[in-house]
């Protein structure tokens, strides 16, 4: 039924029974969508004609929800990125769960602004932060908030480290030429440099430290660069260790970095966007040795922990310092001892957002539904699938593995082709994605374009890894046959 403005009902439906029936149908359909994920192609390109259908003028009058839902099913649902599918192996995306799906419905109804005030959503977020601190080895009174993702979490950590280095005046006076320098490995995520940019320190102040053959920051090189910067009048203030690099899942030597930062009185931050989830696995948490000594940590629940987007987290060992970095006193945001304005300090005092949705509920429901052991099982299982994939690749003469498999990421290429192998593998990945068989991504390792298979989805099985390899081999042979019968490009008159 189309919406018709009515002062008596506002935007509520005129027929609640009809709306309720549609809502039940939507929920059933979405549960079916998750249940039968592996029966569909991983990815399907949205046709141009359907893209054009979405480009309409702003509607003047309302349309019935049933019609809108039909358009969603026809124009939107089939053309997602595909990361709920067990053969989606691109980038670093989790696979979603029924707990996350249902939490999204509850969050929308609850409709809480989680910047602050005295309501249950704030307590849920505080509990999630407490659980996170417990899992990661941080003290029980650590600070932290949930954010969109590790990009923002890393920025928050840089800002807190800046405040620790320069004191309270930095919030009013800025850097005033302070020659701050920070350090991260050559394999660190690009959001670290971006955080330095947005914090006003500048990317030139980020020193890139060499890595070893396994992609890990070399502590001796870090020490040498810190010493050289001090001799030149710079002020080192921050070292960023990576727990799980994007390309090959390498872990920096966090214990060694912690020793250096403790000795030199530098802020030690860890970007554990996906790798910090190893804390839930008895088998793999040893990779995080030294994390418990960090001053701050950024990680995502929406990656390996399977929580729906978006659900990033930052933890700060010194909660008061985080408050000193962000809290502000405004007349229209005053707290009180009683009423809805009670229960300070609020999350808005621990980060930049004043409008924050109730993202903690889906994390809380996920951790309660599956427990730490359930998330740990996902880590263990996906790593086993990655090892199976590596063995399969090593046994295929036409495939070449390009990096060690430290955890759950496998990088390889098809090597039995004439001409530019980088271009061949680039096109091969696009062929694979467009076929709907599987969806890995690409990266570059030592100048070689790699097919990068990241096993993050809890639904992925050994047979899914095999299907991806079979698809690579079949499509590569097809591409070579087509190249053999295609006429060579004309060299001109």
């Amino acid at each position: 039924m189309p919406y018709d403005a009515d002062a008596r009902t506002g935007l509520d439906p005129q027929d609640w029974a009809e709306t309720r029936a549609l809502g039940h149908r939507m929920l059933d359909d979405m549960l079916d969508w998750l249940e039968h994920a592996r029966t569909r192609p991983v990815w399907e390109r949205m046709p141009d004609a359907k893209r054009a259908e979405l480009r309409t003028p702003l509607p003047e009058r309302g349309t019935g929800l049933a019609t809108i839902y039909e358009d969603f099913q026809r124009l939107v649902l089939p053309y997602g990125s595909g990361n709920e599918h067990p053969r989606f192996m691109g980038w670093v995306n989790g696979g979603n769960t029924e707990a996350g799906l249902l939490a999204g419905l509850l969050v929308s109804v609850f409709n809480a602004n989680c910047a602050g005030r005295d309501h249950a959503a704030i307590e849920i977020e505080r509990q999630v932060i407490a659980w996170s601190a417990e899992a990661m080895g941080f003290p029980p009174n650590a600070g932290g908030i949930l954010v969109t993702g590790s990009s923002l979490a890393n920025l928050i950590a840089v800002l807190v480290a800046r405040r620790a280095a320069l004191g309270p005046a930095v919030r009013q006076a800025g850097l005033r030429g302070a020659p701050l320098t920070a350090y991260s490995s050559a394999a660190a995520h690009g959001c670290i440099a971006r955080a330095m940019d947005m914090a006003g320190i500048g990317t030139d102040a980020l020193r890139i430290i060499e890595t070893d053959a396994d992609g890990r920051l070399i502590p001796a090189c870090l020490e040498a660069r810190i010493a050289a910067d001090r001799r030149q009048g710079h002020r080192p203030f921050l070292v960023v260790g990576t727990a799980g690099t994007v390309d090959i899942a390498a872990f920096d030597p966090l214990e060694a970095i912690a020793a250096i930062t403790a000795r030199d009185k530098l802020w030690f931050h860890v970007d554990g966007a996906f790798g910090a989830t190893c804390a839930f696995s008895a088998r793999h948490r040893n990779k995080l040795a030294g994390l418990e000594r960090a001053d701050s940590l950024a990680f995502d629940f929406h990656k390996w922990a399977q929580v729906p987007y978006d659900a990033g987290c930052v933890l700060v060992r010194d909660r008061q310092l985080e408050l000193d970095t962000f809290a502000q006193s405004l007349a229209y945001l005053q707290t009180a001892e009683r009423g809805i304005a009670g229960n300070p300090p609020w999350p808005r005092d621990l980060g930049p957002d004043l409008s924050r949705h109730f993202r903690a509920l889906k994390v809380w429901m996920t951790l309660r539904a599956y427990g730490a052991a359930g998330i740990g099982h996902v880590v263990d299982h996906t790593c086993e699938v990655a090892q199976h994939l590596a063995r399969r690749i090593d046994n295929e003469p036409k495939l070449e593995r390009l990096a060690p498999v430290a955890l759950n990421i496998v990088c390889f290429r098809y090597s039995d082709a004439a001409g530019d192998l980088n271009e061949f593998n680039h096109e091969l990945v696009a062929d694979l994605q467009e076929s709907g068989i599987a969806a890995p991504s690409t990266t570059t390792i030592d100048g070689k374009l790699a097919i990068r298979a990241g096993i993050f989805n809890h639904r992925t099985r050994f047979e899914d890894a095999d299907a991806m390899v079979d698809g690579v081999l079949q499509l590569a042979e097809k591409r070579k046959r087509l190249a053999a019968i295609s006429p060579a490009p004309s060299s001109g008159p």
Side-chain angles (χ1 to χ4, degrees), residues 133 136-139 142-143 157 238-243 253-259 261-262 266-272 276 288-298 314-319:
M136 303 300 166
F138 274 56
L238 166 69
V239 178
V240 179
T242 300
L254 303 183
E255 283 277 22
I257 296 172
T261 55
L266 306 179
W267 188 273
F268 176 28
H269 172 66
V270 175
D271 176 15
L288 296 170
L291 174 63
E292 71 283 355
R293 300 176 63 184
D295 294 297
S296 55
L297 166 68
V314 60
L315 295 177
V316 179
R317 177 174 299 277
D318 186 342
R319 184 169 181 258

Side-chain angles (χ1 to χ4, degrees), residues 379-396:
V379 171
D380 295 345
H381 170 70
T382 50
C383 289
E384 289 169 1
V385 174
Q387 290 298 329
H388 172 81
L389 175 58
R391 290 190 295 270
R392 173 74 194 277
I393 289 165
D394 292 344
N395 288 327
E396 292 289 348

Side-chain angles (χ1 to χ4, degrees), residues 253-389:
L254 303 183
E255 283 277 22
I257 296 172
I260 294 168
T261 55
R263 183 195 66 206
D264 292 353
K265 296 180 171 56
L266 306 179
W267 188 273
F268 176 28
H269 172 66
V270 175
D271 176 15
F274 77 86
T277 311
C278 285
F280 295 98
S281 164
R283 190 183 306 173
H284 294 286
R285 69 168 62 107
N286 64 307
K287 292 181 172 63
L288 296 170
L291 174 63
E292 71 283 355
R293 300 176 63 184
D295 294 297
S296 55
L297 166 68
F299 70 100
D300 290 319
F301 284 105
H302 58 229
K303 291 185 168 73
W304 226 353
Q306 311 299 313
V307 174
Y309 279 92
D310 53 30
C313 183
V314 60
L315 295 177
V316 179
R317 177 174 299 277
D318 186 342
R319 184 169 181 258
Q320 185 58 52
L321 186 58
E322 187 180 7
L323 287 166
D324 292 343
T325 304
F326 291 103
Q328 58 183 157
S329 179
L330 299 169
Y332 49 85
L333 291 175
Q334 289 296 309
T335 60
E337 293 185 5
R338 299 173 57 235
I340 300 176
N343 201 24
W346 295 341
R348 57 101 174 177
D349 298 315
L350 298 165
D353 292 328
L354 287 178
S355 297
R356 305 175 66 249
H357 77 90
F358 189 10
R359 60 172 58 89
L361 185 66
K362 57 193 174 186
V363 182
W364 183 75
M365 286 182 63
T366 297
L367 292 176
R368 289 200 63 191
Y370 311 111
I375 303 303
H377 171 74
V378 171
V379 171
D380 295 345
H381 170 70
T382 50
C383 289
E384 289 169 1
V385 174
Q387 290 298 329
H388 172 81
L389 175 58

Side-chain angles (χ1 to χ4, degrees), residues 30-251:
M30 294 307 100
L31 288 169
D32 284 345
W33 182 260
L34 289 184
E35 181 183 1
H36 302 294
R38 67 171 51 253
T39 65
R40 301 187 298 272
V42 179
W43 180 80
E44 185 177 353
R45 184 184 181 277
M46 188 176 188
D48 291 340
K50 292 191 175 182
R51 294 176 197 265
E53 280 193 66
L54 293 175
R55 302 183 184 117
T56 63
L58 174 69
E60 179 64 27
R61 295 185 60 80
T63 302
L65 285 177
T67 299
I68 296 170
Y69 180 52
E70 289 171 5
D71 287 343
F72 170 80
Q73 289 181 301
R74 187 172 57 85
L75 299 176
V76 181
L77 188 59
Y79 308 111
S81 62
N83 55 295
E84 78 285 352
H85 198 290
R87 291 195 300 278
F88 183 94
M89 303 175 188
W91 302 277
V92 190
N93 296 166
N96 204 346
T97 64
E98 75 275 13
L101 183 155
L102 296 171
L105 172 64
L106 301 179
V107 164
S108 297
V109 174
F110 203 70
N111 194 32
N113 182 353
C114 289
R117 303 185 176 84
D118 191 2
H119 53 98
I122 302 300
E123 296 304 327
I124 292 290
E125 181 158 352
R126 287 172 177 163
Q127 184 59 64
V128 166
I129 295 301
W131 284 342
S132 299
E134 179 183 353
M136 303 300 166
F138 274 56
N141 60 345
I145 55 170
L146 297 177
V147 292
T148 55
S150 282
S151 292
L152 184 54
N154 282 308
L155 172 60
I156 288 172
V158 169
L159 292 171
V160 178
R162 186 188 69 170
R163 169 65 173 73
L166 299 180
V170 71
R171 294 190 63 180
Q172 291 77 40
L175 298 180
R176 289 197 171 179
L180 298 180
T181 53
Y183 307 83
S184 69
S185 87
H189 194 280
C191 69
I192 304 300
R194 195 175 182 200
M196 292 286 287
D197 172 9
M198 292 188 289
I201 303 169
T203 57
D204 286 349
L206 180 63
R207 309 311 198 212
I208 304 303
I209 306 303
E210 297 90 334
T211 57
D212 61 21
D214 293 325
R216 296 155 43 93
L217 178 146
I218 302 173
C221 295
L222 172 64
E223 291 182 288
R225 191 60 193 269
I226 291 171
D229 278 336
R230 282 199 165 125
R231 288 194 299 269
Q232 295 169 16
H234 296 293
R235 185 174 176 179
F237 82 108
L238 166 69
V239 178
V240 179
T242 300
T245 58
V246 173
D247 283 343
I248 61 172
F251 282 67

